[in-house]
Amino acid sequence: MRRRTQEAKHADAIENQGVHGHGPYGFDVFGLAATLWADEAPAPGATAPAAAAAPAPPKPDPSGAATGTIADVPAKEAGKPTLQEVAETAGHNRISINMMWTLIAGFLVMFMQAGFALVETGFCRAKNAAHTMLMNFMVYAVGMTGFWILGFGLQMGGVGALSTLSGGTGGLDGEFVINLFGKDFGLWGTKGFFLQGVGYDAAVFTLFLFQMVFMDTAATIPTGAMAARWKLSAFMIYAFFISMISYPIFANWVWGGGWLATLGKNFGLGHGHVDFAGSSVVHMVGGVTALVGAMVLGPRIGKFNKDGAPNAIPGHHLPMAILGTFVLAFGWFGFNAGSTLAGTDLRIGVVAVNTMLASASGAIIAALYMWFRFGKPDPSMACNGLLAGLVAITAPCAFVNSVSAFVIGAIAGVLVCWSVFFVERTLKLDDPVGAISVHGVCGAWGVLSLGLFADGVYGDGFNGVPGTVKGLLYGDTSQFFAQCIGTLTCFAFIFGISWLFFKVQHAVMGIRVSAETEIEGLDIPEVGALAYPDFTIIPGHSLPAGQKAMSSMSPSMARVAKETL
């Protein structure tokens, strides 16, 4: 019937062209058709072959129970796979599930960038909204670029093969080490730059995406603490610095096979410094960087009186900040549960629930603390309490039970309140969003809490050490000691390298906007666009109580700025 079908197509084409019996070159189409038809017709007296039975149409499978059979297993002989072929398919599917899980979790963490943008912008003044939003936007693009160029290689260039992602990362086996006390101390990776060479691998690309969005979380934390007075040009250079140097080096020490991860193998200190999802690697790094940045940058104009007493400078959009908090809480499921790098690791359910419980207790305790102390449950502190609980549970989320998770979050809820007041009233530092307290202080508490509450149920073989991870309360003092070493190292290294960077940058180009720009608002002078062009924004609205607000820019504003600094 194939020839008959061809003849029919020829006839249709000819009819459409308006040709009667002959093709465009005078060819006898109908004569050819008759010949073809005669070839198809059976000879007189011949018996036509019996038509093959048509296969039964597939039946619907609404439950899905019958979908996926032996015929779906790739095999040289369809429907008859060998044991080797079945095993290879099972292994491929396992890695496929893990890679898909890791990617989806990374997508969730990427969306946290929107949460940070909403929280920080909501807690800042309307006159700086576009500037704050743009910093949160650009840190994603700039940070990603820097991490691709250099940061990923420094962080993960010596991590070696990860079982959850098959052997694809095995080419990342270059670690710069020094030998001390007869032991190797890994300092940074040496492969994977630009994702070229051994980096051009499906598993490595998956790992890059996941690690990049974690780095970006750390990089965006200082944009809140340094908001409303940070030059955009200085910020852009900072984004390259943290994504290419400071964050990757410390992350290598913990997650890339560096010396903190090997404290267990080398010195018998538990499983080495353990940080499952980043209380120290991400949040404490970001929080300590924010601390140094706020110290070098100085407070906003009008934040402190001459006697050092602080003035409240409320944010312009509390609902925006609350919405951003919910976005962050949602993304945190990818942050913590995704750090298994394995959808086949059933511990992800425990990790996700522990994450929720810690956030709940942090929010409740922070709100109650403010309620009992000041008579009202401050919404901004309730948000910071929820985030503090999330930050604290990030390191121990896979190693503790639900009661411990709730307690860890509750303690973080109190700590963040105490820390906010300490930073403002004792250290005299201006942190518009509480980033130093939420991420720095509660990040430190998170890694220490793992050394206390890890219950010995999970983590066999973690960091190459046999046995599960146990904390001080479950019999392993050495694990708590390893956590203390990691926490102190994080603070010392990040504080030192960030102080050097910000001081040099400030001396070379200045990192703070002028007093006139700060009072007017950074939107127009720094980014050339108003977030709210239909609003009437009073330039003097951030001055201390009792000072007369100005309706327009004038030289006197600069004098006011100098007097209040």
Side-chain angles (χ1 to χ4, degrees):
M1 293 303 294
R2 182 177 63 85
R3 294 184 180 179
R4 180 70 183 91
T5 302
Q6 289 174 336
E7 179 273 329
K9 291 181 177 178
H10 278 294
D12 291 343
I14 291 167
E15 181 178 352
N16 291 337
Q17 293 174 358
V19 179
H20 300 280
H22 291 80
Y25 302 104
F27 189 80
D28 189 349
V29 178
F30 290 152
L32 175 61
T35 302
L36 294 175
W37 181 265
D39 289 343
E40 288 288 340
T47 303
K59 296 180 180 180
D61 183 21
S63 70
T67 300
T69 66
I70 194 171
D72 297 304
V73 177
K76 185 176 181 179
E77 186 177 354
K80 296 181 179 180
T82 64
L83 179 60
Q84 177 70 21
E85 290 170 333
V86 171
E88 289 179 353
T89 298
H92 180 82
N93 288 347
R94 173 180 175 270
I95 300 304
S96 297
I97 291 170
N98 291 347
M99 289 181 68
M100 179 60 71
W101 168 251
T102 303
L103 288 170
I104 292 174
F107 302 156
L108 286 174
V109 177
M110 180 270 179
F111 188 58
M112 291 174 68
Q113 195 65 42
F116 278 110
L118 292 170
V119 169
E120 294 176 11
T121 304
F123 281 156
C124 291
R125 303 313 302 254
K127 63 181 181 177
N128 302 313
H131 180 267
T132 304
M133 274 284 183
L134 186 61
M135 286 197 297
N136 279 273
F137 179 81
M138 290 305 300
V139 76
Y140 174 75
V142 176
M144 183 197 309
T145 303
F147 198 64
W148 168 68
I149 293 170
L150 181 65
F152 179 75
L154 290 180
Q155 177 182 332
M156 306 302 289
V159 69
L162 300 175
S163 61
T164 57
L165 299 178
S166 188
T169 62
L172 300 176
D173 58 358
E175 181 79 2
F176 179 82
V177 300
I178 58 174
N179 190 276
L180 296 174
F181 316 111
K183 306 291 184 180
D184 286 338
F185 282 64
L187 298 181
W188 57 75
T190 60
K191 293 186 177 181
F193 306 109
F194 290 99
L195 293 179
Q196 294 298 299
V198 297
Y200 191 22
D201 179 272
V204 174
F205 272 52
T206 299
L207 184 63
F208 171 82
L209 185 147
F210 193 74
Q211 294 298 336
M212 188 284 296
V213 292
F214 273 57
M215 174 281 304
D216 198 60
T217 299
T220 201
I221 289 169
T223 62
M226 301 170 69
R229 67 256 198 226
W230 198 1
K231 279 185 180 179
L232 188 65
S233 56
F235 155 78
M236 297 283 278
I237 296 174
Y238 148 82
F240 277 114
F241 163 75
I242 193 170
S243 64
M244 299 175 75
I245 300 175
S246 61
Y247 175 91
I249 290 176
F250 183 76
N252 172 271
W253 296 350
V254 182
W255 289 344
W259 69 275
L260 285 174
T262 58
L263 288 176
K265 290 192 299 183
N266 287 344
F267 301 102
L269 296 178
H271 286 66
H273 179 68
V274 176
D275 185 352
F276 189 73
S279 288
S280 64
V281 175
V282 177
H283 298 285
M284 193 175 174
V285 166
V288 174
T289 305
L291 169 67
V292 176
M295 292 172 66
V296 176
L297 196 59
R300 288 169 292 175
I301 294 173
K303 178 60 183 177
F304 296 102
N305 296 324
K306 288 183 177 181
D307 61 0
N311 296 297
I313 305 179
H316 82 285
H317 204 313
L318 191 55
M320 180 188 292
I322 294 175
L323 175 61
T325 303
F326 272 118
V327 171
L328 288 171
F330 175 68
W332 230 286
F333 288 119
F335 209 97
N336 287 1
S339 292
T340 58
L341 302 181
T344 54
D345 185 345
L346 301 187
R347 190 69 174 177
I348 57 179
V350 174
V351 173
V353 172
N354 282 345
T355 300
M356 288 194 304
L357 290 172
S359 70
S361 60
I364 292 171
I365 296 302
L368 289 177
Y369 179 86
M370 299 299 292
W371 206 336
F372 288 137
R373 182 169 179 182
F374 299 104
K376 299 291 181 182
D378 185 342
S380 64
M381 286 306 299
C383 288
N384 277 340
L386 185 141
L387 296 176
L390 289 168
V391 168
I393 199 60
T394 297
C397 57
F399 305 103
V400 300
N401 59 41
S402 63
V403 174
S404 296
F406 195 85
V407 171
I408 290 169
I411 293 174
V414 176
L415 278 177
V416 71
C417 296
W418 289 349
S419 178
V420 164
F421 293 127
F422 178 80
V423 168
E424 182 178 84
R425 298 178 181 180
T426 302
L427 299 183
K428 305 299 182 184
L429 295 177
D430 183 13
D431 181 357
V433 304
I436 298 169
S437 302
V438 170
H439 300 279
V441 173
C442 293
W445 160 237
V447 288
L448 294 176
S449 71
L450 185 152
L452 295 173
F453 293 103
D455 61 5
V457 172
Y458 184 75
D460 187 13
F462 200 91
N463 280 338
V465 178
T468 56
V469 179
K470 296 180 182 179
L472 179 64
L473 300 180
Y474 291 84
D476 191 351
T477 305
S478 65
Q479 186 62 59
F480 182 72
F481 190 42
Q483 299 304 104
C484 292
I485 293 175
T487 303
L488 292 174
T489 300
C490 181
F491 181 84
F493 172 70
I494 297 300
F495 188 95
I497 195 171
S498 299
W499 180 268
L500 178 63
F501 168 76
F502 282 123
K503 277 292 189 180
V504 171
Q505 187 188 29
H506 191 46
V508 171
M509 62 179 295
I511 64 175
R512 181 167 181 150
V513 300
S514 67
E516 291 84 357
T517 294
E518 184 177 345
I519 294 173
E520 177 186 354
L522 277 63
D523 281 5
I524 290 294
E526 283 288 299
V527 303
L530 286 173
Y532 307 106
D534 295 332
F535 281 21
T536 300
I537 299 175
I538 303 173
H541 69 323
S542 61
L543 298 180
Q547 286 193 355
K548 183 179 179 181
M550 305 272 183
S551 59
S552 61
M553 286 293 296
S554 70
S556 63
M557 291 185 180
R559 292 195 298 271
V560 171
K562 294 178 181 178
E563 291 173 358
T564 55
L565 281 174

